[in-house]
Amino acid sequence: MMYFTKTKTALVAATALCGLLAGAAQAETWRAWAIHPEDYPNVVAMQQFADEVTEKTEGRIEPTVYANGVLGAQPDAIEQVRAGAIAVGNFNMGPMGEIVPATNVLSLPFIFRDVDHMHKAMDGEIGQRFSDALSEEGLVALSWMDSGSRSFYNTKHPIETPADMDGMKFRVMSNDLYVQMVDQLGGNATPMAYGEVYQSLKTGVIDGAENNYPSFESSNHYEVAKYYSITNHLIIPECICVSTKVWDKVSDEDKAIVTEAAVSAAETQRELWAEREMASKQKVEDSGVAVNEVSDPAAFQSAMEPVYAKFIESNPDLEGLIRDIQAIE
């Protein structure tokens, strides 16, 4: 009888251990890509997302956030997510246009009147249209984040009118729309990786770039580019996007948890973004950067008419989407 009891106890223990091992085997470790420093609003929000997913799935999914672009530049990271090598990323829609043409609409200069206009569009039916387009190319957009409004900065002088950009070399993200935008304003566009901008500004390879206040500050570009001219020419949303290859393996229960965590993270990011934007603005002004609002914003906007005309000619199917965004009150 004692032999049977010992054997039964050992069998129960072995069964329990197998159960634990099976549970561990089912746990999914997700690599999560982010380009900014760890204290940046987007990365703080991504870490919140990772923590919430780990907790609420009881460890079935465990995202690990890799900040500072250590897993690669954004175009490479997008491809890795599409391939499933990286599970999830916080991507700006700017470089996404080469993969998902519809997202180029979000890169049209002055497509959004302000950040509130962008929120209304992306949180509603318009945002769902972009989500559908992304899903066809291996990406599931779980939520939409801010990236502020972008303006020009340079090492030479304040920009008041497009004429002040004549002949100057400006770094842009990898998207032909940005090249056209700078060309129409009289500058020379230079697509370049984000990590190369500081040294290129310092050595004169480029004269300027364009970005929002937090990126201008956190990248230390303000140390070498002492003129920041507010044009608000681009307001480009960002996503928390997961690989469809990864997503298709997730249970419906965990999909609901992950989606809820992504939406909550986006809400946090928007709040932190507004705070960080003001703090970054103050920091760059205190450092001696000359900040000015352009004296003739209409001149910049009207200069974009050929960009829109060319875009619609090449993408007639997207004209309705452009008009629908512009019609949102």
Side-chain angles (χ1 to χ4, degrees):
M1 177 67 80
M2 185 175 290
Y3 173 78
F4 174 77
T5 302
K6 287 182 178 179
T7 303
K8 183 178 181 181
T9 301
L11 183 61
V12 169
T15 302
L17 179 60
C18 288
L20 288 171
L21 291 174
Q26 292 172 1
E28 290 287 339
T29 301
W30 285 9
R31 295 198 302 165
W33 181 91
I35 196 170
H36 297 291
E38 291 181 357
D39 65 343
Y40 202 81
N42 300 47
V43 183
V44 173
M46 285 292 285
Q47 188 59 56
Q48 175 188 305
F49 165 77
D51 292 343
E52 184 173 335
V53 168
T54 299
E55 177 187 352
K56 292 188 175 179
T57 63
E58 299 179 338
R60 292 187 297 275
I61 301 173
E62 297 182 349
T64 299
V65 179
Y66 294 84
N68 290 300
V70 296
L71 297 181
Q74 180 159 271
D76 293 335
I78 291 171
E79 291 300 340
Q80 289 189 66
V81 171
R82 293 177 73 202
I86 296 175
V88 61
N90 164 216
F91 296 129
N92 185 282
M93 289 295 103
M96 196 70 74
E98 295 184 0
I99 299 165
V100 186
T103 62
N104 276 320
V105 169
L106 300 171
S107 289
L108 286 167
F110 305 106
I111 186 70
F112 296 115
R113 295 184 298 274
D114 51 35
V115 172
D116 285 344
H117 181 202
M118 184 271 286
H119 287 166
K120 288 179 182 178
M122 301 310 294
D123 290 344
E125 186 267 340
I126 293 292
Q128 187 58 52
R129 288 199 225 174
F130 287 109
S131 296
D132 293 343
L134 286 163
S135 67
E136 293 178 5
E137 298 297 339
L139 298 159
V140 178
L142 301 176
S143 63
W144 300 102
M145 290 182 172
D146 275 356
S147 65
S149 58
R150 299 171 74 100
S151 292
F152 290 104
Y153 53 90
N154 74 94
T155 61
K156 302 291 187 183
H157 52 245
I159 295 169
E160 295 284 358
T161 69
D164 295 320
M165 295 177 61
D166 190 37
M168 293 175 68
K169 293 173 289 185
F170 284 89
R171 177 265 176 178
V172 295
M173 293 184 289
S174 180
N175 188 315
D176 186 57
L177 278 173
Y178 307 144
V179 174
Q180 293 179 50
M181 174 184 72
V182 171
D183 287 349
Q184 287 297 321
L185 293 171
N188 296 319
T190 303
M192 179 184 292
Y194 186 63
E196 299 174 12
V197 177
Y198 182 94
Q199 192 63 22
S200 296
L201 286 166
K202 188 174 182 179
T203 58
V205 171
I206 56 175
D207 300 308
E210 52 83 47
N211 219 315
N212 52 60
Y213 270 120
S215 294
F216 181 51
E217 175 260 314
S218 66
S219 62
N220 296 320
H221 294 175
Y222 73 96
E223 295 176 351
V224 286
K226 291 298 185 180
Y227 301 95
Y228 191 92
S229 301
I230 301 172
T231 51
N232 296 326
H233 54 271
L234 292 172
I235 300 175
I236 309 173
E238 302 198 355
C239 71
I240 296 180
C241 286
V242 66
S243 168
T244 55
K245 291 182 182 294
V246 173
W247 193 242
D248 289 345
K249 299 176 184 177
V250 178
S251 69
D252 289 344
E253 177 188 358
D254 285 347
K255 281 179 179 176
I257 291 171
V258 172
T259 301
E260 183 179 354
V263 171
S264 178
E267 291 171 352
T268 295
Q269 189 268 349
R270 291 180 185 185
E271 294 173 3
L272 294 175
W273 183 270
E275 296 171 5
R276 178 61 180 267
E277 200 162 35
M278 294 304 296
S280 294
K281 180 178 185 292
Q282 190 63 54
K283 184 174 180 178
V284 300
E285 288 179 345
D286 290 347
S287 75
V289 170
V291 176
N292 70 286
E293 290 197 29
V294 298
S295 57
D296 187 10
F300 289 82
Q301 295 167 11
S302 63
M304 296 302 102
E305 290 176 6
V307 176
Y308 274 75
K310 183 177 179 180
F311 183 82
I312 291 170
E313 182 181 358
S314 300
N315 304 275
D317 57 315
L318 295 176
E319 183 174 8
L321 180 56
I322 294 170
R323 304 304 174 215
D324 289 345
I325 292 173
Q326 292 173 330
I328 294 174
E329 296 296 335

